[in-house]
Amino acid sequence: VHSIEDALRLYRDALGGEYLMGNNSRGGDWRWVQFRYPNGGKVELLEPLGAGFLSRFLDKHGEGLHHMTFKTDDLEAAIAHVEGLGYELVDVDLESEHWKEAFLRPSGAHGTLIQLAWSSHPDYEVAEHMPRLEELLSA
């Protein structure tokens, strides 16, 4: 989105999302927030903070869905299962001890970029170390 603050009216106020966590990217080019919804759904919004890949993406494609993430407790097994069904995974990164991921390109996934991911920590633990929404948006 161009502005997380502008998007709050829809994702928080109208749709009932509860702020879970957010922060600025390591390079400071963009910020992100996650809202959780009843029954386990989450939406993550990204906002550019200057020139970079995200502002270029928005200029080219406009606001909207970038990708869907499916988290799993066993990424290696999920990769083997998906590949066993004939799907090609790209950008497979199993190196980090805290976050592992792999992607299905939109061309092989009915038009949607799909991320398979594993995290060493549940969301509630990660959220404990993130700024409150008001602090994040005032920075």
Side-chain angles (χ1 to χ4, degrees):
V1 298
H2 292 290
S3 166
I4 288 172
E5 195 164 355
D6 291 347
L8 291 177
R9 188 167 171 254
L10 174 61
Y11 290 97
R12 183 189 61 190
D13 303 341
L15 299 176
E18 178 186 349
Y19 176 72
L20 177 62
M21 67 178 117
N23 213 335
N24 292 331
S25 66
R26 287 188 188 137
D29 294 341
W30 49 276
R31 76 171 46 121
W32 59 274
V33 297
Q34 288 184 1
F35 293 98
R36 64 178 158 208
Y37 297 87
N39 299 317
K42 286 192 312 184
V43 169
E44 182 175 87
L45 303 175
L46 306 178
E47 170 190 20
L49 297 176
F53 89 93
L54 186 54
S55 57
R56 288 191 302 275
F57 181 88
L58 284 169
D59 288 344
K60 184 175 181 179
H61 301 285
E63 294 182 313
L65 178 69
H66 181 268
H67 70 274
M68 295 173 58
T69 299
F70 293 86
K71 281 186 162 178
T72 177
D73 291 332
D74 188 344
L75 184 59
E76 290 83 0
I79 289 170
H81 176 72
V82 169
E83 288 180 334
L85 292 172
Y87 293 96
E88 177 189 5
L89 290 161
V90 297
D91 298 328
V92 176
D93 183 356
L94 305 175
E95 299 303 313
S96 172
E97 65 181 284
H98 298 293
W99 180 262
K100 300 176 188 308
E101 64 187 5
F103 292 87
L104 287 96
R105 287 190 178 113
S107 59
H110 304 279
T112 302
L113 179 63
I114 296 177
Q115 177 187 48
L116 304 177
W118 170 87
S119 177
S120 62
H121 300 287
D123 287 345
Y124 70 88
E125 285 182 8
V126 177
E128 290 175 359
H129 304 284
M130 298 289 169
R132 293 179 310 119
L133 181 60
E134 296 78 20
E135 293 174 291
L136 181 62
L137 295 180
S138 68

